[in-house]
Amino acid sequence: MDADAFGIRPGEEMAALPATFDAGLHFIGRLRTPWRERSDCPKNGRQTDAVCTVEVDPAYAAGLRNVTGCTHLILLYWMDRATRGLLVQQPRHADGPRGTFSLRSPARPNPIALSVVELIEREGDTLRVRGLDCLDGTPLLDIKPYYASTDARPEAQVDRAGAEP
């Protein structure tokens, strides 16, 4: 998505992205959600109880074997309609600009997003989950099991005001 589609706020900075890419990837499916417009999306998956659908392409469906042994999954997805290259952002909730890498915003050089979702059920190559925060049709990159024993970091902290000027 072009930066002009959402506008650049005062204090924001864009990177000059390279003309070519460093790596390739394959989308393994699509995420189906109730949200068609960015303004309708929750800011994070914990702000909604909406049940969403993970459609895994048939070529990758064998990878879902044993997935129902998980109560929660990590979904990695490509925010294909997000602004790319934004390095400094002015979040609406903040009193000043923030570096992109200190934010969970979809606007970033590589718009990769992550959500921990609750797995409700599997039907063939489709999963029903709760906890997504993306637009309908968002490309799926990967599915991983969520392990509370290694993925949860209760001691983690984020200083919303930022530690740097």
Side-chain angles (χ1 to χ4, degrees), residues 6-65:
F6 293 111
I8 300 297
R9 296 181 186 121
E12 293 185 333
E13 298 174 28
M14 293 288 293
L17 296 176
T20 60
F21 296 101
D22 295 324
L25 52 89
H26 299 283
F27 297 148
I28 64 166
R30 295 279 169 175
L31 303 174
R32 298 296 172 194
T33 72
W35 308 292
R36 307 273 187 288
E37 302 292 329
R38 182 179 182 213
S39 59
D40 297 332
C41 266
K43 296 294 179 202
N44 66 66
R46 300 212 47 172
Q47 292 181 335
T48 179
D49 286 328
V51 175
C52 302
T53 303
V54 178
E55 296 176 347
V56 176
D57 290 342
Y60 302 101
L64 293 173
R65 186 174 181 175

Side-chain angles (χ1 to χ4, degrees), residues 154-165:
E155 73 279 5
Q157 298 179 13
V158 175
D159 180 358
R160 296 293 293 196
E164 299 175 26

